[in-house]
């Protein structure tokens, strides 16, 4: 267990560095001294407003969302025993996207600023419910196929919205939302998404023992007392809440959930339950870093979070291909 | 108190096919029982039902007088261990961790292993000659080593009942002999062991009792000496056999004459 502790401390340290960087970076760079002054003697200076009103909620949201994605990816890879599983597998992220897109399409976003996240949450839960209703009782593969079907459904819904967008601006707004962003997120977003992410992550952490037993296949896992139906439901619910809330607040952010468990696995002996918390920490760090990069890289218009996380995916898949070629006969 | 595993009027159907047809057997006390039958006779299905992993369409299985359906998942997991055909490990975890998975029913939801549990894992690995492989990733093990590791995983929980589906398939003669020897010794310790085997000589020399399945029905159940006859072999496999008593035990010669 000592190795686990060392790993966790190392990851927390890296996360703390990324967190501090996130508080400093932006159009107005805050030096560490300013940060310290802001914490010790809070006042009404601009730097304090930026720190507490913009940077801090944004950083907290990045940690929550990155953690939710990393943890969900690890849980799904453990459940399916497939290292290519990722959070969007159960259709929940698609549901969140569709809900938010519908809010933007019908102009609700202009009336009520929280329309996209709230409708995103509703969409996520509805998609999760459909996946469960269709895929239940049929085993893990059936559940995944149901999720893929729901993803296809929500994907075509989004495509439909883009096709019949009332104006070029609406189409642009939808597309830009889909690329993912944490800018202009406030404490209200944290309060909206936070509880769902917390509950979802707690459920996923509870599935750890079942995921370990599943290393031996479903028959042996069941013989060890694991209730597979309950475990699948736990993971579906956990991913649904965590990823649903995350996507509805920040848009579609890919690759974090896929890559984080891979980075963690070699350090925890490939044991599924031991990948959970470290994957969450790595996911938080990756998202924080990507978010800092969106602010640190100077571009004419804002570079979106989803673009940068896709760039994480690029070297990862190349590395996977090269490793596969090396280890295959 | 002796363990009693009994099946009453088990029937399992899959579509139009009847896999198990009104099977009733009772196993009590320790010892190794060999289950023989042709491919498709229903051996795996019977073992899955006895393990409580498959709900029969009719009939029920009881362990120590209590129907399996009434046992709590965890209690049943502690009482009986099951090793399927061609067991595999999907992640490259170390042998020690693989064996430790057998303690899942007694582990708390969170937290690590107690010193006592680690010691148990170590002892079972030593008993199965796995200490040298403790940190080796499971997929790099040879067939014989993986078979021992899966058996160790089943034994670490100290089950009263062990159900193994084809433990010797794919093993070279030495490892097959080794595995059957282990199962026989475990039966001698008082555990109730039932294993599906194809090698009739191995079964005859190591098992105490024999159950023969043919077309989903039990056609023989009793001690090796009583029931293992050339007539039975022909009835079950459609193959002629000559059974000779030697100083090492019965030798079942399969003959090619028509």
């Amino acid at each position: 267990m000592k190795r686990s502790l060392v790993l966790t401390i190392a990851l927390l340290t890296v996360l703390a560095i990324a967190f501090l960087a996130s508080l400093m970076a932006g159009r107005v760079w805050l030096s560490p001294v300013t940060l310290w002054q802001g914490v010790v003697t809070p006042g009404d200076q601009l730097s304090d407003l930026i720190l507490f009103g913009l940077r801090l909620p944004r950083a907290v949201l990045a940690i929550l969302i990155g953690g939710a994605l990393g943890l969900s990816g690890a849980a799904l890879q453990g459940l399916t025993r497939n290292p290519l599983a990722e959070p969007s597998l159960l259709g929940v992220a698609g549901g969140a996207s569709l809900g938010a897109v519908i809010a933007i399409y019908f102009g609700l976003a202009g009336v009520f600023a929280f329309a996209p996240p709230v409708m995103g949450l509703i969409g996520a839960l509805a998609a999760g419910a459909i996946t469960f209703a269709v895929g239940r009782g049929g085993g893990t593969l059936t559940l995944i196929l149901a999720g893929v079907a729901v993803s296809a459904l929500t994907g075509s819904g989004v495509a439909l919205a883009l096709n019949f967008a009332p104006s070029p601006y609406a189409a642009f707004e939808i597309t830009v939302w889909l690329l993912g962003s944490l800018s202009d997120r406030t404490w209200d977003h944290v309060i909206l998404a936070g509880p769902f992410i917390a509950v979802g992550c707690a459920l996923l952490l509870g599935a750890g023992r079942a995921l370990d037993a599943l290393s031996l296949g479903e028959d042996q896992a069941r013989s060890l007392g694991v209730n597979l139906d309950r475990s699948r439901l736990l993971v579906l619910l956990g991913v649904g809440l965590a990823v649903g809330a995350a996507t509805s607040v920040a848009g579609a952010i890919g690759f974090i959930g896929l890559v984080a468990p891979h980075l963690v696995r070699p350090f925890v002996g490939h044991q599924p339950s031991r990948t959970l918390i470290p994957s969450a920490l790595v996911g938080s760090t990756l998202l924080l870093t990507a978010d800092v990069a969106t602010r640190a890289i100077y571009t004419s218009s804002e570079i979106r979070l989803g673009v940068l996380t896709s760039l994480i995916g690029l070297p990862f898949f190349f590395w996977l291909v090269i490793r596969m070629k090396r280890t295959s006969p | 108190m002796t363990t009693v595993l009994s099946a009453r009027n088990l029937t399992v159907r899959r579509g139009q096919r009847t896999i198990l047809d009104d099977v009733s057997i009772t196993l009590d006390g320790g010892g190794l029982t060999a289950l023989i039958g042709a491919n498709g006779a229903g051996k795996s299905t019977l073992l899955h039902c006895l393990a409580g992993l498959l709900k029969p369409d009719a009939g029920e299985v009881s362990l120590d007088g209590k129907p399996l359906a009434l046992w709590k998942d965890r209690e049943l997991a502690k009482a009986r261990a099951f090793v399927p055909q061609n067991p595999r490990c999907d992640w490259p975890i170390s042998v020690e961790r693989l064996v430790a998975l057998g303690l899942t029913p007694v582990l708390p939801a969170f937290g690590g292993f107690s010193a006592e549990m680690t010691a148990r894992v170590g002892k079972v690995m030593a008993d199965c000659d796995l200490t040298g492989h403790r940190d080796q990733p499971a997929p790099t093990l040879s067939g014989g080593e993986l078979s021992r590791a899966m058996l160790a995983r089943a034994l670490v929980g100290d089950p009263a009942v062990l159900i193994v589906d084809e433990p010797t398939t794919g093993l070279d003669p030495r490892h097959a002999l080794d595995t059957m020897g282990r199962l026989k010794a475990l039966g001698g310790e008082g555990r109730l062991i039932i294993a599906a085997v194809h090698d009739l000589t191995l079964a005859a020399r190591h098992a105490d009792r024999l159950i023969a399945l043919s077309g989903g029905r039990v056609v023989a159940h009793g001690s090796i000496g009583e029931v293992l006859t050339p007539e039975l072999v022909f009835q079950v496999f459609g193959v002629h056999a000559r059974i000779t008593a030697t100083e090492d035990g019965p030798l079942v010669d399969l003959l090619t004459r028509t």
Side-chain angles (χ1 to χ4, degrees), chain A residues 168-225:
Chain A
Y169 180 72
F172 179 73
E173 216 191 319
I174 290 173
T175 313
V176 140
W177 187 93
L178 288 171
L179 287 174
S181 170
L182 281 174
S183 63
D184 303 324
R185 291 338 191 238
T186 62
W187 287 111
D188 290 325
H189 289 92
V190 176
I191 291 168
L192 179 65
F196 290 99
I197 292 178
V199 173
C201 289
L203 290 175
L204 291 175
L205 288 174
R209 291 270 179 247
L211 297 180
D212 277 348
L214 274 169
S215 311
L216 300 172
E218 298 199 348
D219 270 347
Q220 292 199 64
R222 284 170 58 217
S223 78
L224 287 167

Side-chain angles (χ1 to χ4, degrees), chain A residues 107-161:
Chain A
L108 297 170
V111 169
F112 170 46
F114 280 89
V118 168
M119 291 201 54
L121 259 172
I122 295 170
L125 294 172
I130 296 174
T131 301
F132 181 65
V134 171
R136 70 181 302 189
T140 305
L141 184 60
T142 313
L143 192 64
I144 302 300
L145 285 173
V148 171
V150 171
S151 291
L153 181 67
T154 55
S156 46
V158 166
L160 200 67

